[in-house]
Amino acid sequence: MALLAEADSFVSLDLSDALQAAGYRVLGPFATTRETLAALSQNSPTLAIIDITLRDGSSATLAEELRRRSVPFLVHSACRQDTSHPVSFQGAPWLIKPALARDVVALCDELFLGGSNAARADGERASSLPVVEQAGSVSNPFVRKLEGFAALSEADRVVLEQVSANARIVPPQTSLVHEGDRPDGVLLVMEGFAGRLKHRANGHRQIMAYLVPGDMGDLDVALLSRMDHTITTLSACKVVRIAPETVAALVQHHSQIARALRMATLVDEATLREWLMNVGCRSAVERIAHLFCELLVRLGAVGLAQGNSYDLPITQLDIADTTGLSNVHVNRSLQELRRQGLIELGGRRLTILNLPRLRTLAEFKANYLHLGDRSAA
């Protein structure tokens, strides 16, 4: 049984439907701490999804009661996770509202790993939950990306499937590797968005690259003694950590894979140059338009764009930290793109309504992505 405490009626209905579709029995949704505590006194949920602010104020007492009962919970809130919140919320998995319903379900599944799955209607064990989707190469974004850079044999594809198989679910806003850490493998993103970023002492950050499905961290990271940047999940992700010796074997024994990996590294460098141009020379609206055009091409190349539409599971603040703008400036720029009839953005999904005009506005040329025919977005 999954307890749901959410003040927003639209969000609560969406989450309730998604949880039930995934096989959970839902207790609620409840809009106040008072009614949630009353329900909790008569039921024993296996997990809970709560907002830190409900209609009657802070849900800190609810979080305390859940901890007292040893009920794991995740926080779904418009507020960022930091130490200013009551201690009862500290250390809980955290999703920035509005998260995709599937990200909430994925994190609920993660909470069950190693424990009983009594919240599921069918009563199966959580230890039997798969954390890896065994997908064929047609739907494997890693294989699809590398196939765009080199002609892969069937043996190459099988090897890449094996390398990318042991994915784990990681909540959003989780640092996969910190600046200053000793590198212990190459990160591969199979689902979701992650970012390469640097932090200032005052807490501000600059996102310097997105890792979308099929993207890897630095191929030769094992040559470094310490990491010079941080890699953080921007949404819920499925991530594989590939050992340095595995990367070395791929490069040594599979020449076409080696060629594709080197090409991917060159594209990463070219993309960084384009992002520098974006921040240095383009207006706010042009920067965001260019970013949206780029993501359409990159996600389309791995089969994750439908027409001119794709999931964009990042926040407005993430876009601000990517484009070097304030959150307010990003909001105004998005409104301007909407006003011009160029985009539609809702429910963490972006639809480009007039791609030729958006490309012209951004002066977008996809040649730096080196995708050939696949860049004809």
Side-chain angles (χ1 to χ4, degrees):
M1 183 184 296
L3 172 67
L4 178 57
E6 169 59 57
D8 188 306
S9 58
F10 291 104
V11 173
S12 64
L13 287 174
D14 185 38
L15 291 181
S16 183
D17 289 346
L19 288 165
Q20 291 181 40
Y24 288 89
R25 289 183 290 119
V26 178
L27 178 61
F30 303 107
T32 67
T33 296
R34 180 182 57 79
E35 61 185 347
T36 310
L37 288 172
L40 188 60
S41 67
Q42 301 177 24
N43 297 274
S44 299
T46 308
L47 67 79
I49 304 101
I50 65 174
D51 196 352
I52 64 171
T53 304
L54 298 176
R55 291 184 184 176
D56 54 354
S58 171
S59 63
T61 55
L62 171 59
E64 291 171 4
E65 181 63 16
L66 290 169
R67 289 189 183 278
R68 190 184 70 81
R69 291 169 171 259
S70 298
V71 176
F73 65 90
L74 64 90
V75 176
H76 182 225
S77 172
C79 301
R80 283 193 170 276
Q81 185 176 19
D82 59 49
T83 55
S84 66
H85 300 303
V87 67
S88 55
F89 295 114
Q90 302 302 320
W94 202 284
L95 287 170
I96 300 297
K97 188 193 291 187
L100 292 173
R102 69 185 185 202
D103 288 346
V104 176
V105 172
L107 193 48
C108 287
D109 286 348
E110 181 73 1
L111 287 176
F112 286 127
L113 293 177
S116 66
N117 200 6
R120 292 277 184 173
D122 56 16
E124 292 180 356
R125 296 285 296 177
S127 57
S128 66
L129 280 173
V131 294
V132 180
E133 292 182 0
Q134 299 295 338
S137 60
V138 173
S139 60
N140 185 312
F142 187 41
V143 176
R144 291 192 64 155
K145 176 176 179 174
L146 296 190
E147 280 183 324
F149 296 137
L152 302 180
S153 67
E154 186 58 34
D156 291 334
R157 295 188 188 93
V158 169
V159 168
L160 292 175
E161 291 279 0
Q162 293 172 343
V163 166
S164 60
N166 295 319
R168 62 189 179 94
I169 299 171
V170 182
Q173 306 305 323
T174 300
S175 292
L176 300 172
V177 60
H178 293 86
E179 181 174 355
D181 286 352
R182 291 185 181 277
D184 62 351
V186 179
L187 295 168
L188 167 64
V189 175
M190 294 297 287
E191 288 187 15
F193 276 43
R196 288 193 185 100
L197 49 91
K198 298 273 286 188
H199 286 98
R200 292 188 59 194
N202 62 7
H204 292 169
R205 63 179 187 169
Q206 178 68 44
I207 299 175
M208 296 166 293
Y210 289 156
L211 301 182
V212 302
D215 287 349
M216 297 178 70
D218 296 312
L219 182 62
D220 296 313
V221 71
L223 298 176
L224 302 177
S225 59
R226 300 284 181 179
M227 292 294 295
D228 55 31
H229 63 280
T230 297
I231 298 179
T232 296
T233 59
L234 303 177
S235 70
C237 289
K238 283 189 176 180
V239 178
V240 179
R241 192 178 297 271
I242 306 175
E245 55 269 23
T246 301
V247 176
L250 285 175
V251 172
Q252 181 177 357
H253 301 297
H254 299 270
S255 59
Q256 289 299 94
I257 292 178
R259 174 185 174 84
L261 291 173
R262 297 301 184 198
M263 276 295 300
T265 298
L266 291 174
V267 169
D268 286 346
E269 295 171 354
T271 302
L272 179 58
R273 289 191 290 270
E274 195 67 28
W275 280 32
L276 286 172
M277 171 72 80
N278 218 25
V279 172
C281 296
R282 295 187 175 107
S283 70
V285 171
E286 290 167 347
R287 294 178 201 184
I288 296 172
H290 195 280
L291 179 65
F292 288 169
C293 288
E294 177 187 298
L295 289 174
L296 177 65
V297 175
R298 290 173 62 186
L299 293 171
V302 293
L304 294 177
Q306 294 76 43
N308 292 334
S309 181
Y310 55 87
D311 286 340
L312 189 65
I314 57 176
T315 67
Q316 191 169 283
L317 183 58
D318 292 332
I319 296 174
D321 292 343
T322 300
T323 54
L325 301 168
S326 70
N327 204 13
V328 171
H329 209 163
V330 169
N331 185 272
R332 291 173 179 168
S333 299
L334 291 174
Q335 290 181 25
E336 176 62 19
L337 291 172
R338 290 189 182 101
R339 188 191 66 77
Q340 294 186 33
L342 299 178
I343 68 165
E344 183 177 273
L345 183 59
R348 297 296 183 93
R349 188 166 185 85
L350 174 73
T351 299
I352 298 175
L353 302 175
N354 192 325
L355 181 57
R357 282 184 56 204
L358 192 70
R359 288 168 64 102
T360 299
L361 172 64
E363 296 181 344
F364 179 77
K365 297 178 182 179
N367 59 331
Y368 66 96
L369 298 173
H370 298 281
L371 292 171
D373 293 338
R374 295 191 299 167
S375 67

